[in-house]
Amino acid sequence: MNSIKNNPKIMKAWALYDWANSVYSLVITSTIFPIYFSILTTIREKSEYVQETGKWIKVPERYTINVFGTEYQPDAVYGYSLTISFLIVVLLSPILSSLADTIGNKKSFLQFFCYLGATSCMGLAMFTGMQNVFLGLLFSITASVGFWGSLVFYNSFLPDIATPDKQDALSARGYVYGYIGSVILVIICLVLIQVLAKDAEQAKIYTRISFLLTGAWWFGFSQYTFKYLPQFGNVKDQLPKDLVLLNYKNIFKKHEEQGGLWEVLKDNIAFYIDITRQSFRELFKVGNKLFKDRNLKFFLSGFFFYSVGMQTIFLMATLFGKSEINMAQEKLIMTLLIIQIIAIVGALIFSRLSRRIGNKNVISIAIILWIVACLSAYYLKKENPNVEYQFYGIAGIIGLVMGGLQAMSRSTYSKLLPENGMDNTTYFSFYDVLEKIAIILGTFIFATMIEKYHNMRYSALSMSLFFFVGLVLIRFVKLKVIQEKEVN
């Protein structure tokens, strides 16, 4: 384990997975897919006269989506689909983490979810209109499961490969790689859609090509990570006869030496049922253990509440810009690109600032800025002639804090865990499950508010309350400032 920690090649391989998978976060979650979804679910744009400004504005008229006989707003359905994807991740994460620690193949699970996500991104190219909107939503769900499922295992490698004094910098380095890589791909996609496309129909074709490129990027660049990242986990001596479901080729064997296929399947079924029971039992056990520690109790509680707001806004920000103020596609994508560039600077600033004032104060500053952004979004009105500039200002604030708060949260949690613990996958599984439950709650509330009020401003306002509670809780954390070594 000592040879693994602080190994430059291993740390670089770990950080480069952010370069590979962050294109999903920007292209699919934040920019191109939400805009594409909004365009395909819009019937037409009608003109409305605004007396206050004396100008005509374009207002989109949207289709509704029939779900089990009830008509829903498309943005609400998109929000609910995200809720479903995170619910799947919450149910799977503990089981998969337990399997990874049991069999000792944490990297293999990282690969599986990576390939699921990359393939699903490519599958989005088959989404062409309202006639197959559910196919688009299905691939959106499985891409989300692939992305977030892989992060369970990816994040758990951080304390395995880096000592506490290196974790802030390495965590921020990963985010920086991710922002740079995703910005490069979005620029390529933007050239295809905005420059090479001759008309709206060609733009849709190039958008679908962008989804193919995203999957290929994620799949291709992750190979460097998988080449150098070590397998890591506690390997038990007693495993079932031929792990059938983890090796589909074993299903086609006769298994004569092990009593036949039926005996092997029974052994496997019993093993997986036992793993499922143990995993959730272990998750609750770990939760109880973590919450008995005063610092971890307040950190995880605060993290849950501000994650409700932070992650939900990440996921819904583009639809907000498109649906609430009807911002032009090219302006919206350029704004989100600039956010990513600002986020690179923000992640570095927050990482360095943490050495001076500590992680807790850095996280607190970031949360306060998030509250400002939420309150400002509530007061945005498309009738205002300066609404675009106001949106740019909010976007700038979000860009500054989004990378910093994520990186600081991950490394702060890593520092608070027992050093050299062998349960890091389980600890980070709990961290990720907590984050996903926050997203489930956040996206459900956001989508329900859209359906109730037919706009997103009240949804944004509701998120500020979660940030405020998170801020109060995080102030109770007592954390040492870690530089090259820990000091009091």
Side-chain angles (χ1 to χ4, degrees), residues 332-368:
L332 193 53
I333 293 177
M334 285 305 298
T335 303
L336 292 162
L337 262 180
I338 293 168
I339 286 178
Q340 298 299 308
I341 295 168
I342 296 173
I344 296 170
V345 178
L348 293 172
I349 289 173
F350 278 81
S351 176
R352 293 184 179 181
L353 193 60
S354 69
R355 299 175 196 168
R356 293 180 175 271
I357 64 173
N359 290 36
K360 180 175 78 171
N361 292 326
V362 168
I363 289 172
S364 299
I365 291 168
I367 295 172
I368 291 169

Side-chain angles (χ1 to χ4, degrees), residues 10-119:
I10 291 174
M11 289 197 294
K12 181 182 178 183
W14 181 87
L16 275 173
Y17 185 72
D18 252 318
W19 169 283
N21 79 338
S22 290
V23 293
Y24 161 81
S25 188
L26 184 57
V27 176
I28 307 301
T29 302
S30 301
T31 56
I32 296 175
F33 181 72
I35 295 171
Y36 182 70
F37 180 82
S38 180
I39 290 170
L40 293 192
T41 54
T42 297
I43 304 170
R44 60 182 170 270
E45 289 188 341
K46 57 183 181 180
S47 297
E48 285 188 3
Y49 182 74
V50 181
Q51 288 186 339
E52 292 84 353
T53 61
K55 294 181 179 179
W56 290 86
I57 62 170
K58 293 285 186 181
V59 178
E61 187 177 339
R62 309 289 294 279
Y63 290 103
T64 56
I65 298 176
N66 187 296
V67 182
F68 300 121
T70 304
E71 300 294 327
Y72 290 92
Q73 294 289 318
D75 293 341
V77 174
Y78 180 73
Y80 288 133
S81 73
L82 292 173
T83 303
I84 291 169
S85 73
F86 290 112
L87 185 59
I88 293 169
V89 172
V90 163
L91 294 174
L92 284 180
S93 291
I95 302 169
L96 295 170
S97 296
S98 184
L99 274 171
D101 276 344
T102 300
I103 303 167
N105 61 345
K106 182 154 59 175
K107 185 169 72 171
S108 299
F109 283 94
L110 176 59
Q111 285 178 288
F112 170 80
F113 280 100
C114 166
Y115 297 154
L116 172 66
T119 305

Side-chain angles (χ1 to χ4, degrees), residues 223-363:
Q223 299 310 307
Y224 183 88
T225 299
F226 300 143
K227 183 177 179 180
Y228 293 106
L229 205 63
Q231 289 283 14
F232 197 90
N234 292 327
V235 184
K236 288 186 179 177
D237 294 329
Q238 298 298 321
L239 293 175
K241 304 164 184 175
D242 285 342
L243 289 168
V244 173
L245 298 183
L246 292 180
N247 186 355
Y248 69 92
K249 293 178 182 177
N250 284 340
I251 296 174
F252 303 102
K253 292 180 182 178
K254 293 183 179 179
H255 305 279
E256 292 174 348
E257 295 180 358
Q258 297 178 323
L261 177 60
W262 177 240
E263 288 298 318
V264 171
L265 282 176
K266 282 199 299 183
D267 200 22
N268 271 260
I269 290 168
F271 171 74
Y272 288 112
I273 290 173
D274 187 50
I275 279 286
T276 302
R277 287 174 179 165
Q278 284 184 17
S279 61
F280 283 100
R281 195 180 299 125
E282 184 67 19
L283 191 68
F284 287 114
K285 181 181 174 183
V286 166
N288 287 331
K289 180 180 177 181
L290 292 174
F291 273 82
K292 284 179 181 177
D293 182 289
R294 182 190 180 279
N295 275 335
L296 281 165
K297 176 176 67 177
F298 283 113
F299 171 77
L300 289 170
S301 300
F303 171 74
F304 172 79
F305 279 97
Y306 69 69
S307 288
V308 170
M310 177 174 66
Q311 298 294 351
T312 304
I313 290 171
F314 281 170
L315 295 166
M316 304 300 290
T318 303
L319 281 180
F320 184 97
K322 186 67 180 167
S323 300
E324 280 302 306
I325 63 177
N326 200 28
M327 183 174 277
Q329 180 176 341
E330 61 274 11
K331 290 183 179 179
L332 193 53
I333 293 177
M334 285 305 298
T335 303
L336 292 162
L337 262 180
I338 293 168
I339 286 178
Q340 298 299 308
I341 295 168
I342 296 173
I344 296 170
V345 178
L348 293 172
I349 289 173
F350 278 81
S351 176
R352 293 184 179 181
L353 193 60
S354 69
R355 299 175 196 168
R356 293 180 175 271
I357 64 173
N359 290 36
K360 180 175 78 171
N361 292 326
V362 168
I363 289 172

Side-chain angles (χ1 to χ4, degrees), residues 411-431:
S411 60
T412 301
Y413 180 64
S414 182
K415 289 177 184 178
L416 291 171
L417 293 177
E419 193 172 353
N420 294 325
M422 293 298 289
D423 297 319
N424 286 325
T425 308
T426 308
Y427 287 144
F428 269 92
S429 175
F430 184 85
Y431 176 85

